[in-house]
Amino acid sequence: MSAAIGPDSTDSIATDPSAPMVRADRVCKNFGSLQVLKGISLEVKRGEVLCLIGPSGSGKSTFLRCINHLEVVNAGRLYVDGDLVGYREANGKLYELHPREAAKQRRDIGMVFQHFNLFPHRTVLENVIEAPTQVKKIRKADAVARAEELLARVGLADKADSYPAQLSGGQQQRVAIARALAMDPKLMLFDEPTSALDPELVGEVLGVMRELAASGMTMVVVTHEMGFAREVADQLAFMDGGVVVEAGDPREVLANPQHDRTKAFLSRIL
């Protein structure tokens, strides 16, 4: 399907260690007549953590889904590791990738959702090895060894043979993180990963995310956890009404917001 979805700009960037891991250039997304994203431009460097905050309906989750082409953008361009996401470009026009090509591109981007989406009829270990063995065709023995490492990393080495229903919400979310990491992604996306958890379980998930950030994983996180954003993020972007209202150093934005909309939002939650 062809789609000339935006003004001509640079071709897909050659992969370059100094290039940003994520570059959004005037990204727009509509659902029918509703314009959800109205020209989002952001960059995330390799090894950085970007936290997106803002009220419900501001477009944060939609933007996250656009990064791995779960949602198709209507204008603008998104690049991950220098590659144009979801499209190829020819003669100034963009042509949507075949679903198989888009899925291959998506393999390098891990995503953790609000709800855990684990297979209820499979054990924790089986959940973690499913994608590596089925999608990447990794030998089962190698996938199991890697899964055991990851479960130990998220503090669940003793739960490999348990089923999701036997786990707490926090444990299920940590399994979901291990499952995403099993594909060895270059980028991790988190869509409010603690919002469905009881308050006492939030800390264990944030602890795993802190460790990931410290290890150098590039992350884009939609969150309401301001303490986490202040402590871990390299950048903080406040979104409202489909635009980035204010962005910068998280400690500065949270302590000294410049825009009235940012001030009003933070006054309600801090």
Side-chain angles (χ1 to χ4, degrees), residues 1 25 32 36 44 47 58 75 87 94 105 111 122-123 132 141 179 198 206 220 223 242 252 257 263 270:
M1 179 177 71
D25 180 15
V36 178
V44 186
S58 59
Y87 295 88
L94 299 184
Q105 206 174 49
M111 188 158 184
R122 293 186 177 152
T123 66
R179 178 180 59 181
D198 292 333
L206 294 181
V220 182
T223 186
E252 180 63 25
K263 292 176 184 176
L270 291 179

Side-chain angles (χ1 to χ4, degrees), residues 92-112:
K93 288 189 176 183
L94 299 184
Y95 298 87
E96 191 171 0
L97 295 179
H98 186 279
R100 190 179 297 111
E101 293 177 86
K104 187 181 295 185
Q105 206 174 49
R106 200 177 290 124
R107 290 191 318 196
D108 293 328
I109 305 173
M111 188 158 184
V112 177

Side-chain angles (χ1 to χ4, degrees), residues 146-157:
R146 174 66 172 149
E148 289 173 342
E149 288 176 13
L150 290 169
L151 289 173
R153 184 175 180 182
V154 300
L156 294 173

Side-chain angles (χ1 to χ4, degrees), residues 14 105 139 147 152 160 177-178 186 191 195 234 243 249 267 270:
Q105 206 174 49
R139 288 176 56 244
I177 294 172
K186 61 180 72 170
D191 188 6
S195 65
D234 299 287
V243 300
D249 179 275
S267 72
L270 291 179

Side-chain angles (χ1 to χ4, degrees), residues 1 62 89 108 130 162 176 193-194 259:
M1 179 177 71
T62 297
E89 184 168 9
D108 293 328
E130 174 74 12
S162 299
T194 60
H259 199 286

Side-chain angles (χ1 to χ4, degrees), residues 220-233:
V220 182
V221 183
V222 174
T223 186
H224 292 294
E225 300 292 338
M226 296 301 133
F228 173 83
R230 184 185 292 108
E231 176 190 345
V232 176

Side-chain angles (χ1 to χ4, degrees), residues 195-260:
S195 65
L197 301 179
D198 292 333
E200 66 269 21
L201 302 178
V202 168
E204 61 190 56
V205 174
L206 294 181
V208 171
M209 294 171 65
R210 286 188 183 92
E211 189 273 330
L212 272 181
S215 74
M217 175 64 73
T218 310
M219 297 161 55
V220 182
V221 183
V222 174
T223 186
H224 292 294
E225 300 292 338
M226 296 301 133
F228 173 83
R230 184 185 292 108
E231 176 190 345
V232 176
D234 299 287
Q235 292 187 71
L236 181 72
F238 169 65
M239 290 180 62
D240 194 15
V243 300
V244 175
V245 176
E246 189 168 343
D249 179 275
R251 288 150 291 279
E252 180 63 25
V253 173
L254 292 172
N256 189 29
Q258 299 300 300
H259 199 286
D260 287 344

Side-chain angles (χ1 to χ4, degrees), residues 3 14 35 43 66 84 97 100 106 113 117-118 125 162-163 175 218 235 267:
Q35 194 174 11
E43 287 191 357
C66 288
L84 187 60
L97 295 179
R100 190 179 297 111
R106 200 177 290 124
F113 299 88
N117 300 326
L118 300 176
L125 184 70
S162 299
Y163 287 88
V175 173
T218 310
Q235 292 187 71
S267 72

